[in-house]
Amino acid sequence: DTRDEDNETKASSMSKLMVTREKVTELHISSTEVEEMDISNSKEKIETSECATNKPVMVPGSPESHLIPDDNDSKDQTVVIKPLPLPTLINAPGGEFHPNSSDTDNTRDNTRVSTAPQLSSRMKHIKQEMAKNHLQFVRFEATDLHGVSRSKSIPAQFFQEKVIHGVYMPRGYLELIPNPKDNEVDHIRATCFNSDIVLMPELSTFRVLPWAKRTARVICDTFTVTGEPLLTSPRHIAKRQLSQLQDAGFSLLSAFIYDFCIFGVPEIINSKTISLPASALLNNHDQPFIQELVDGLYHTGANVESFSSSTRPGQMEICFLPEFGISSADNAFTLRMAVKEVARKYNYITSFFIETGFCNSGILSHSLWDVDEKKNMFCSSSGIEQLTIPGKKWLAGLLKHSAALSCLMAPAVSCRKRYSKESKDLKESVPTTWGYNDNSCAFNIKCHGEKGTRIENKLGSATANPYLVLAATVAAGLDGLYGDDGVLSGPENSTDLHQAKPSEIPLKLEHALMALEEDQCLRQALGETFIRYFVAMKKYELENEETDAERNKFLEYFI
């Protein structure tokens, strides 16, 4: 009996031990599950934290901006940040913006964003340059409608921050006329002039300025605070046209040739302030000024092919080396700023107006190449120095749109005096001329030299915005390539060019504005928004400016 009792006691103990083990096992399993859940939750929290740290920029007014919690609410709840759609990410301030935009007035900029390694490499190089040159300031530059540099300077220590978030500037700085008056905004009836825009730098244009002490500059594209490209931005319009050209299977090789005048320090003669032209820079006369200018342009990436004195006292000509894409307009934009700053170091004043009130010329020499930049489409394979069929079509487009083109390329009353060759005959327009190796023509075709066949668009004045000159030339040329109304008769080696209707250039700016408004091709290419604003601005200038006053304004504005 005692043995039976002992067996029962042992059995009871074993049973209790098994129950205990099962409970312990269940507890262990439960604990393991909890730990796995905690780890999973921890991972989710880490991912959420990383998402919050690397969240896309929430631009004001975006659909997702309401998802950003208040500081008080964020303590009590977990917020999932929904990423912005791809186009918004590309365009939001804080992203990297790139050329070859193909959007229109009603579309967004769908260009490709640089990868992180590319941006990191560029920023590393820029930081090295900043340290090497002990830079103190960086100018964020953008062009206004007149092609004049408007900028904000940033202390160097804030450069990287501003690259990410952009620099804010009042929109009116870039879109209003040089001397805005109280009723100007009401007259133009445009909106948002009092709002801010964002300058986003194109890092490839970062350069140390040799003529400015411990200062660099970077050319910027302009955007609204919601990330939309500014549709009145000349550089944006030029990029869009170059993108259209690329989509058609072509690229553009171009260079600007500029005249400008050099004046001595103003003197007071008989109570009048007069600026006398400086002596012509022939041979060794005052070479330090022009040499510092050319050397400085080289260090900013703008390669000057040649410079010389021109036909009038104190008048100089500078020719740039041709480059593909937007670079030619960037070089011209740089010259317009550089020549003023270097001249002041030598007690000169420079202007793109001649002392008689006429504008200096601003020629766009250009040729059409294949998309791989290997073959000049204007050059004949037979070796004959004539335009090819694509070249003639391109020329036909320029001739067809010459009236509207002249409005953008000679945008002031004084600029248009060149078209009449200083003739006193009362005419409303003059024929648009073209020829081979004829510098008197509006479109001069040059087949000689190592550059190959090219067309010089001589409609432009030096006061015209180079980005608009480039954009309008490409738009007109593309229309010629696509159109049938300017196709030539005869073989490829024929110099004949048939036009359904001979083209004319209006001598009055008012008539040129009408031609621009009626030109459906350029309206579509440059954008309705830009055309409406540009025409309204010029009409306002015509209503409020006389020729003499205009000359003084531009002399002050373009010096």
Side-chain angles (χ1 to χ4, degrees), residues 363-376:
I363 301 169
L364 177 62
S365 176
H366 65 283
S367 53
L368 188 68
W369 291 62
D370 66 339
V371 74
D372 296 323
E373 303 175 358
K374 301 294 184 183
K375 181 181 179 182
N376 186 342

Side-chain angles (χ1 to χ4, degrees), residues 336-350:
R336 298 163 71 86
M337 174 263 298
V339 71
K340 297 181 288 185
E341 296 192 20
V342 177
R344 288 176 182 174
K345 294 177 63 176
Y346 290 84
N347 290 325
Y348 288 134
I349 293 174
T350 56

Side-chain angles (χ1 to χ4, degrees), residues 19-89:
V19 171
T20 303
R21 284 181 177 176
E22 288 176 359
K23 289 182 179 180
V24 170
T25 303
E26 290 176 359
L27 181 62
H28 175 72
I29 293 172
S30 177
S31 175
T32 303
E33 290 175 349
V34 170
E35 287 176 0
E36 290 176 352
M37 290 174 64
D38 288 342
I39 291 172
S40 176
N41 290 338
S42 177
K43 289 181 179 179
E44 289 179 1
K45 289 179 180 178
I46 290 172
E47 291 174 355
T48 304
S49 175
E50 290 177 348
C51 180
T53 303
N54 301 318
K55 65 180 181 293
V57 177
M58 293 298 176
V59 295
S62 65
E64 290 77 21
S65 60
H66 69 279
L67 295 174
I68 301 177
D70 294 331
D71 291 341
N72 295 331
D73 296 335
S74 61
K75 298 177 182 178
D76 302 325
Q77 58 182 344
T78 302
V79 178
V80 179
I81 300 178
K82 181 181 177 183
L84 291 172
L86 182 60
T88 307
L89 279 172

Side-chain angles (χ1 to χ4, degrees), residues 3-4 53 67 87 108 119 123 170 173 222 232 334 346 488:
R3 288 179 180 178
D4 292 338
T53 303
L67 295 174
R108 286 181 175 268
L119 293 179
M123 281 304 302
Y173 283 13
T222 52
T232 56
T334 301
Y346 290 84
L488 325 212

